[in-house]
Amino acid sequence: MSKVTLTVNGANRELELDTRTTLLDALREHLQLTGTKKGCDHGQCGACTVMVDGQRINSCLTLAVMHEGDEITTIEGLGTPGNLHPMQAAFVKHDGYQCGYCTPGQICSAVAVLNEIKAGIPSHVSADLTVAQQTTAAELRERMSGNICRCGAYSNILDAITEVAGGQT
Ligand code: FES
Ligand code: FES
C-alpha cells in the first residue's frame, strides 16, 4: 500500500492504494468518479481518457501512484448539468453519441485536442510542420482516432468538435 495525493477536479484527494491500482480504478473505485469509463482496460479504446496536468492520457495505462501532486480533470470536472462545458453542450446539440459509453472519453479527448492544435503540436496528418496547425476534419479525425465509438457516432462527434473549434458544421 502507498499513500498518494491527487488534485482531482480542483480538490485535494488523499488515497491509500495498492501500488498496482491504475489511475482509472482509483478514480472509479476509490473516488466514485464513475464518469470515466472502463472499456478495454488495455489502452485500446479511449473510454478512460482524462486530462493530467492538461494533457490527455488513457487512465487505464497508468498507475495512480505515479501521479503524486498531479492535477487530474475528469468529465465531472469539465462542467455540471446546469453549466455544461462548451464541448459537452456541443455533443448534446449535435447528438454526438448513442449509448454514451465512450462519450466522457470523447469529450475529454476533444477538449485536449483543441488545446494541442492551439499549442501547435503536429499530428500524423499535418502536412507542414512549419505552419500553425488547423482544425480541419482530417486533423480532428486523426487526433480523435484513439477514441473508439462502437455506436459509430463519429460524424456527429466531428460536427460537435468542429463547432467548438469555431468552424462550420
Ligand atoms: S479503458 Fe483505457 S483505453 Fe480502453
Ligand atoms: S456512443 Fe456508444 S460507444 Fe460511442
Side-chain angles (χ1 to χ4, degrees), residues 18-83:
D18 183 317
T19 51
R20 297 166 292 183
T21 308
T22 63
L23 179 60
L24 174 60
D25 284 343
L27 292 169
R28 287 182 54 85
E29 309 297 334
H30 296 265
L31 296 175
Q32 284 70 54
L33 290 169
T34 53
T36 305
K37 298 294 185 265
K38 182 182 283 189
C40 64
D41 211 19
H42 284 87
Q44 295 175 342
C45 73
C48 64
T49 305
V50 299
M51 287 185 277
V52 176
D53 293 337
Q55 293 197 314
R56 57 187 172 147
I57 63 166
N58 289 339
S59 61
C60 71
L61 285 187
T62 189
L63 299 175
V65 292
M66 294 163 62
H67 295 284
E68 175 65 33
D70 285 356
E71 293 210 15
I72 319 290
T73 305
T74 70
I75 190 71
E76 292 93 341
L78 281 183
T80 61
N83 184 25

Side-chain angles (χ1 to χ4, degrees), residues 97-103 106 148-151 153:
Y97 43 77
Q98 193 175 86
C99 76
Y101 198 82
C102 72
T103 312
Q106 300 277 4
I148 308 301
C149 175
R150 64 190 166 185
C151 299

